[in-house]
């Protein structure tokens, strides 16, 4: 069966520090991968998606970037965090049936 | 771009009562999906509707896709405390992306 992992679960970072969040998927090949951000009590904002290794589409201009170095690995990064980057970051994957399966998420607090 | 609006934002329900949450898209959708997010958790896929006018049921939950494929609804009967959470609709227009509504957060009074 397929599983999706995200780490860390929680993170507290100072403003201006770098960020690296990792997401890996097991049990499937060539998944579509997604990064979302969810502000407290709000909906899901799509940040990036990828349909293959090295292929990244950005949905919202911001100081975040994403990379897909391997088929089942998706990384969200920032060189310098802003206060507004705080939120709940969710990674998701989808296959041929289109529904998305979400990881447990990372709660990021930027102070 | 495609926008998906969802109402109401909050739904306070007496245990045992019914309620409905509605979803409307600015464009015609190829399919619509519904997700549930429990407090402190991550969204979990519930169902996908593809056909115009489609109705699907999961126990006490009834999902409907409009004839024009621009709106959808989720109706829950005999609400239980296990129904607490936020319900999101998400629409797709023939690509890899989903546009999520803002969600309906449901609380239940015992």
């Amino acid at each position: 069966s397929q599983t999706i992992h995200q780490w860390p679960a929680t993170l507290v970072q100072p403003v201006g520090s770098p960020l690296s969040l990792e997401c890996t998927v097991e049990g499937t090949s060539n998944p579509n991968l997604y990064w979302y951000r969810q502000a407290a009590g709000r909906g899901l904002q799509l940040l990036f998606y990828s349909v293959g290794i090295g292929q990244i589409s950005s949905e919202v201009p911001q100081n975040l970037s994403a990379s897909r170095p391997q088929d089942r690995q998706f990384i969200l990064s920032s060189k310098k965090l802003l206060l507004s980057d705080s939120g709940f970051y969710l990674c998701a994957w989808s296959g041929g049936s289109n529904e998305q399966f979400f990881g447990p998420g990372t709660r990021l607090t930027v102070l | 771009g495609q926008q998906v609006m969802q109402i109401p934002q909050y739904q306070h329900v007496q245990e045992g009562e019914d309620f409905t949450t509605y979803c409307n898209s600015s464009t015609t959708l190829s399919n619509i999906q519904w997700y549930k997010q429990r407090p402190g958790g991550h969204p979990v896929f519930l169902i996908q509707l593809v056909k115009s006018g489609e109705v699907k049921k999961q126990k006490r939950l009834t999902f409907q896709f409009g004839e024009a494929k621009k709106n959808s609804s989720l109706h829950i009967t005999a609400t239980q405390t296990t129904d607490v959470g936020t319900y999101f609709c998400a629409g797709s227009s023939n690509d890899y992306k989903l546009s999520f509504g803002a969600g309906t957060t449901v609380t239940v009074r015992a």
Side-chain angles (χ1 to χ4, degrees):
Chain A
S1 63
Q2 302 89 359
T3 55
I4 179 169
H5 304 278
Q6 271 188 258
W7 63 92
T10 59
L11 191 59
V12 180
Q13 291 284 98
V15 169
S17 64
L19 174 74
S20 181
L21 301 180
E22 188 163 345
C23 171
T24 59
V25 182
E26 295 178 357
T28 186
S29 59
N30 197 30
N32 296 327
L33 296 172
Y34 308 84
W35 278 112
Y36 291 89
R37 177 169 59 204
Q38 184 177 33
R42 304 289 294 276
L44 295 157
Q45 179 186 34
L46 179 63
L47 302 176
F48 302 94
Y49 71 96
S50 170
V51 300
I53 296 174
Q55 300 179 57
I56 308 295
S57 295
S58 175
E59 289 296 298
V60 182
Q62 56 213 326
N63 72 321
L64 298 171
S65 62
S67 62
R68 185 171 177 173
Q70 300 180 44
D71 182 44
R72 290 169 288 179
Q73 183 184 28
F74 206 20
I75 298 171
L76 183 69
S77 304
S78 174
K79 293 182 178 179
K80 288 185 177 182
L81 284 168
L82 306 173
L83 287 174
S84 58
D85 291 324
S86 293
F88 189 36
Y89 287 83
L90 290 155
C91 179
W93 73 272
S94 70
S97 56
N98 205 42
E99 64 259 37
Q100 294 187 10
F101 301 94
F102 287 82
T106 295
R107 298 194 183 279
L108 172 66
T109 303
V110 183
L111 301 175
Chain B
Q2 179 181 292
Q3 290 190 336
V4 175
M5 309 298 291
Q6 195 173 348
I7 57 170
Q9 186 176 1
Y10 299 99
Q11 185 78 57
H12 308 290
V13 190
Q14 180 70 42
E15 190 174 16
E17 291 184 342
D18 304 351
F19 75 91
T20 304
T21 175
Y22 301 90
C23 187
N24 288 285
S25 170
S26 58
T27 60
T28 302
L29 301 170
S30 61
N31 66 78
I32 195 155
Q33 300 175 23
W34 286 88
Y35 293 78
K36 178 182 179 180
Q37 184 176 23
R38 294 183 183 276
H42 58 274
V44 175
F45 173 79
L46 293 177
I47 208 160
Q48 177 174 261
L49 304 171
V50 179
K51 299 177 183 177
S52 171
E54 188 171 14
V55 178
K56 287 187 176 180
K57 292 189 176 184
Q58 287 181 351
K59 297 183 180 179
R60 296 178 294 104
L61 278 61
T62 301
F63 303 85
Q64 191 166 13
F65 201 8
E67 293 291 339
K69 300 184 75 172
K70 294 180 72 173
N71 63 286
S72 181
S73 64
L74 161 59
H75 181 78
I76 299 182
T77 59
T79 303
Q80 300 177 358
T81 54
T82 54
D83 296 323
V84 164
T86 301
Y87 294 83
F88 294 99
C89 63
S92 177
S93 295
N94 295 322
D95 59 16
Y96 303 108
K97 300 180 296 184
L98 289 175
S99 294
F100 279 80
T104 295
T105 298
V106 177
T107 54
V108 179
R109 300 188 300 273

